[in-house]
Amino acid sequence: MNDVLNRLSELLEQRKSADPSSSYVAKLYAKGMDSILKKIGEEATETVIAAKGGNQQEIIYETADLWFHTLVMLAKAGLKPDDVLAELARREGLSGIDEKAARVEK
């Protein structure tokens, strides 16, 4: 699965220099972070609705949209999926309560 994320991450990097009239992702980048975040909010809502409906295929479809737009946001912020995966690996085996309590406020 990490291979899929890495390939998609590379493609999203390439789209940063693409023509917005020929690439959906380039258009999102051109509109800026606020538009990308709005799209993530829309996709999150659609994912919740799909989960409430219980249709597994809809849940998969909407979650894929949510993850995709989240990857676009990460790329716009100069981050990679491996950055998030490393954080998840760091948290592995930790109590969620303990992990949150140990976070340094920034």
Side-chain angles (χ1 to χ4, degrees), residues 5 8 12 29 66-76 81:
L5 291 176
L8 187 51
L12 294 175
Y29 288 144
L66 176 59
W67 286 13
F68 175 82
H69 288 90
T70 300
L71 290 169
V72 171
M73 180 268 304
L74 288 171
K76 178 74 172 171

Side-chain angles (χ1 to χ4, degrees), residues 86-103:
E87 176 60 16
L88 289 172
R90 183 191 70 77
R91 295 180 186 187
E92 188 174 7
L94 296 176
S95 155
I97 294 169
D98 292 341
E99 189 281 325
K100 188 170 183 178
R103 289 184 196 174

